[in-house]
């Protein structure tokens, strides 16, 4: 349980498909339910599957573009809703031109979020990471520009 709200078991199911076994997802997105009683996975369109028909780096770029589109489209309530995004970035390092990957736990809390939503989101993060046993690098993102900075920071070695 996180800050008095329960974490739905379906979060574990979605995360396991991301982290273990087939690893079918490039990114998974979780949020607080409308009644603020549970942490739940976002709708299926937010759970972005890996595309084996393109390179891993291209798949990463395409997935990031899709996530950014989903974050800015929809009604005002949806656009200002905080979310947790667990994203596996594939990239090429600048120093030695090596293909590698890194999972990043993104705490998306846009500027337009209500104080109540921000408080529930913030106080629930630790419980969520403990429940899913997430030990990834964490990035706080409040605007799309914050998401755009992740890949260059990974490539240059400035995000570990």
């Amino acid at each position: 349980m996180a800050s008095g709200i329960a974490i739905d078991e379906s979060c574990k199911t979605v995360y396991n498909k991301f982290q273990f076994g087939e690893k079918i997802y490039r990114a998974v997105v979780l949020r607080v339910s409308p009644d603020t009683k549970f942490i739940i996975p976002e709708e299926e369109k937010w759970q972005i599957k890996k595309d084996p028909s393109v390179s891993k780096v291209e798949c990463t770029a395409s997935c990031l573009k899709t996530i950014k589109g989903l974050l800015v489209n929809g009604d005002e309530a949806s656009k200002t809703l905080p979310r947790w995004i667990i994203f596996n970035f594939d990239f090429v390092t600048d120093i030695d031109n090596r293909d590698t990957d890194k999972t990043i736990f993104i705490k998306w809390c846009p500027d337009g979020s209500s104080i109540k939503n921000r408080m529930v989101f913030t106080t629930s993060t630790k419980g969520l990471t403990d429940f899913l046993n997430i030990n990834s690098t964490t990035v706080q993102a409040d605007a799309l520009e914050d998401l755009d900075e992740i890949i260059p920071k990974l490539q240059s070695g400035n995000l570990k």
Side-chain angles (χ1 to χ4, degrees), residues 63-81:
C63 179
L64 187 58
K65 182 178 178 181
T66 299
I67 291 285
K68 287 169 46 180
L70 289 168
L71 289 170
V72 298
N73 292 320
D75 59 22
E76 277 308 306
S78 177
K79 290 192 285 190
T80 59
L81 190 64

Side-chain angles (χ1 to χ4, degrees), residues 111-130:
D111 292 331
S113 296
S114 70
I115 292 172
K116 178 182 178 182
N117 283 346
R118 286 176 176 272
M119 289 180 66
V120 170
F121 177 77
T122 300
T123 58
S124 300
T125 298
K126 174 77 169 117
L128 178 64
T129 57
D130 289 349

Side-chain angles (χ1 to χ4, degrees), residues 94-107:
D94 290 340
I95 296 172
D96 56 3
N97 207 31
R98 179 177 43 92
D99 289 335
T100 191
D101 73 304
K102 183 157 187 72
T103 297
I104 305 290
F105 181 71
I106 302 168
K107 298 187 303 184

Side-chain angles (χ1 to χ4, degrees), residues 26-40:
R26 169 73 51 197
V28 295
V29 182
L30 309 171
R31 66 177 173 90
V32 175
S33 64
D35 62 4
T36 65
K37 293 184 180 180
F38 297 96
I39 296 175
I40 59 173

Side-chain angles (χ1 to χ4, degrees), residues 7-20 28-30 39-41 84-86 105 124-136:
I7 302 168
D8 193 274
E9 278 296 320
S10 59
C11 292
K12 178 78 93 177
T13 302
V14 170
Y15 180 71
N16 286 344
K17 290 180 181 178
F18 169 83
Q19 186 67 24
F20 305 108
V28 295
V29 182
L30 309 171
I39 296 175
I40 59 173
W84 297 276
I85 305 166
I86 309 162
F105 181 71
S124 300
T125 298
K126 174 77 169 117
L128 178 64
T129 57
D130 289 349
F131 180 77
L132 296 178
N133 197 25
I134 298 173
N135 296 313
S136 303

